[in-house]
Amino acid sequence: MAQPHSNGDTALKPNAVKPKLPEMFKVLLLNDDYTPMEFVVETIEQFFNKSREQATQIMLKVHTEGVGVCGVYPLDIAETKMNQVLVHAKESQHPLQCVIEPA
């Protein structure tokens, strides 16, 4: 005689609804031959809340490798930071370029 089927261990549990994390974007500074290193360091400190040492390391990476990551943020924050850097550079008459890309 067959035993009745038990669903005790195989009952489907309702899926917990997890909030979807926002897509993250890297904010990058690009090297150029004109923007002073000190300006780049101060910009990183001001807009990315980095220490002098951290900002200097990022600036050196930009200088030697052509690009450096200043931070990783959700899209709206990354765009805001990129625009702040571009406006600051333009107002200071420096050609410093800042872009974002998916992390």
Side-chain angles (χ1 to χ4, degrees):
M1 197 163 129
Q3 291 186 345
H5 184 63
S6 170
N7 284 340
D9 291 336
T10 58
L12 295 177
K13 295 179 183 172
N15 289 336
V17 178
K18 291 184 181 178
K20 186 180 176 201
L21 293 175
E23 186 177 357
M24 301 298 278
F25 289 80
K26 294 186 277 190
V27 181
L28 309 168
L29 289 182
L30 307 179
N31 190 42
D32 65 70
D33 294 330
Y34 304 101
T35 305
M37 292 180 181
E38 184 62 25
F39 178 81
V40 176
V41 170
E42 290 170 357
T43 299
I44 295 167
E45 287 178 310
Q46 180 177 349
F47 296 107
F48 299 96
N49 299 315
K50 301 292 186 188
S51 68
R52 171 62 57 149
E53 184 176 330
Q54 291 170 315
T56 300
Q57 290 301 314
I58 295 168
M59 177 276 296
L60 289 172
K61 190 167 181 75
V62 172
H63 181 69
T64 59
E65 298 179 24
V67 64
V69 178
C70 295
V72 179
Y73 308 95
L75 180 59
D76 56 339
I77 296 173
E79 286 179 333
T80 298
K81 290 193 175 285
M82 175 186 71
N83 289 325
Q84 288 174 326
V85 169
L86 293 173
V87 167
H88 178 63
K90 187 174 183 176
E91 287 174 351
S92 302
Q93 299 181 342
H94 293 301
L96 182 64
Q97 290 299 298
C98 185
V99 298
I100 62 173
E101 69 178 31

